[in-house]
C-alpha cells in the first residue's frame, strides 16, 4: 500500500523545454512581432520607382525608354539616375518619397505616331521640379523642352 501511495503522489514531471517556453513565450512573441513590423516597413519604403503612378503598357514603354536613356555605351548615368541624384541633393538625409506632401506626377501624351511628350513633375514641401521631354520611340531620340530637362540630358550625355 505504501508503494501505491507514492505512485499516486508522484506527478508527471514537466519537460524542461515546455516550462522554459511557457514562461518566456510572450517575450518571444513580442520579438517576432517587432521583427515582422520592421521588415514590413523596410520592404514597403517608398522610393522613386514605386512613387511613379500606374500607366498603360504603351505609356510604360515610352517612360522606360526615357528613364533608361544613357546616350550611348560611354555614358555611365541614365536619365533616371540623374533625376534621382538631383532629388537626393535637394533633400539629403530625408525620406522625401514617404513625405505626405510629396507628389510625383507623370503625363505621357502621343504627339504623333512615333513621338510622345513626357512630363514629369516632382512636388514637395520645398518646391517643385518640372521636366518635359519629347521621346521618339523609333529612333530612341530624346529632346528636352525646358532648361531642367536639358540639364538632365546634358549630364547624361557628358558623364
Amino acid at each position: 500500500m505504501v508503494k501505491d501511495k507514492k505512485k499516486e503522489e508522484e506527478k508527471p514531471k514537466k519537460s524542461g523545454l515546455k516550462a522554459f517556453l511557457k514562461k518566456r513565450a510572450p517575450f518571444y512573441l513580442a520579438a517576432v512581432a517587432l521583427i515582422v513590423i520592421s521588415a514590413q516597413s523596410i520592404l514597403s519604403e517608398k522610393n522613386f520607382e514605386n512613387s511613379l503612378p500606374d500607366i498603360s503598357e504603351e505609356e510604360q514603354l515610352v517612360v522606360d525608354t526615357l528613364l533608361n536613356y544613357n546616350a550611348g555605351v560611354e555614358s555611365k548615368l541614365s536619365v533616371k539616375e540623374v533625376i534621382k541624384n538631383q532629388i537626393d541633393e535637394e533633400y539629403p538625409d530625408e525620406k522625401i518619397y514617404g513625405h505626405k506632401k510629396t507628389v510625383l506626377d507623370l503625363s505621357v501624351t502621343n504627339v504623333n505616331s512615333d513621338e510622345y511628350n513626357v512630363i514629369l513633375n516632382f512636388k514637395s514641401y520645398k518646391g517643385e521640379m518640372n521636366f518635359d521631354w519629347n521621346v521618339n520611340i523609333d529612333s530612341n531620340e530624346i529632346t528636352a523642352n525646358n532648361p531642367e530637362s536639358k540639364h538632365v540630358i546634358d549630364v547624361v550625355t557628358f558623364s
Side-chain angles (χ1 to χ4, degrees), residues 19-84:
F20 178 79
L21 288 177
K22 191 172 185 178
K23 287 181 182 178
R24 290 161 184 83
F27 298 114
Y28 290 124
L29 183 61
V32 169
L34 286 173
I35 291 170
V36 168
I37 289 170
S38 63
Q40 187 259 347
S41 67
I42 290 171
L43 293 175
S44 66
E45 188 173 297
K46 291 198 115 198
N47 59 25
F48 181 81
E49 288 83 10
N50 61 19
S51 294
L52 292 172
D54 293 332
I55 53 179
S56 71
E57 194 172 310
E58 180 183 352
E59 292 172 338
Q60 188 64 47
L61 176 67
V62 174
V63 171
D64 289 343
T65 302
L66 170 68
L67 293 179
N68 295 324
Y69 175 76
N70 64 359
V73 179
E74 296 176 11
S75 179
K76 295 177 183 174
L77 292 173
S78 67
V79 169
K80 177 173 48 176
E81 291 167 338
V82 173
I83 293 171
K84 286 169 52 175

Side-chain angles (χ1 to χ4, degrees), residues 94-149:
E94 287 186 55
K95 294 182 179 179
I96 192 64
Y97 300 106
H99 195 276
K100 64 182 178 181
K101 291 188 177 182
T102 300
V103 177
L104 195 58
D105 288 329
L106 181 66
S107 169
V108 180
T109 309
N110 191 344
V111 177
N112 58 39
S113 63
D114 59 344
E115 190 168 335
Y116 293 83
N117 180 257
V118 179
I119 298 174
L120 178 69
N121 293 326
F122 176 82
K123 299 174 188 173
S124 73
Y125 67 93
K126 279 188 180 179
E128 59 184 82
M129 295 180 198
N130 300 310
F131 303 98
D132 186 2
W133 296 278
N134 282 349
V135 179
N136 188 318
I137 294 297
D138 290 339
S139 65
N140 289 335
E141 182 181 336
I142 311 294
T143 308
N145 296 330
N146 67 0
E148 289 176 325
S149 305

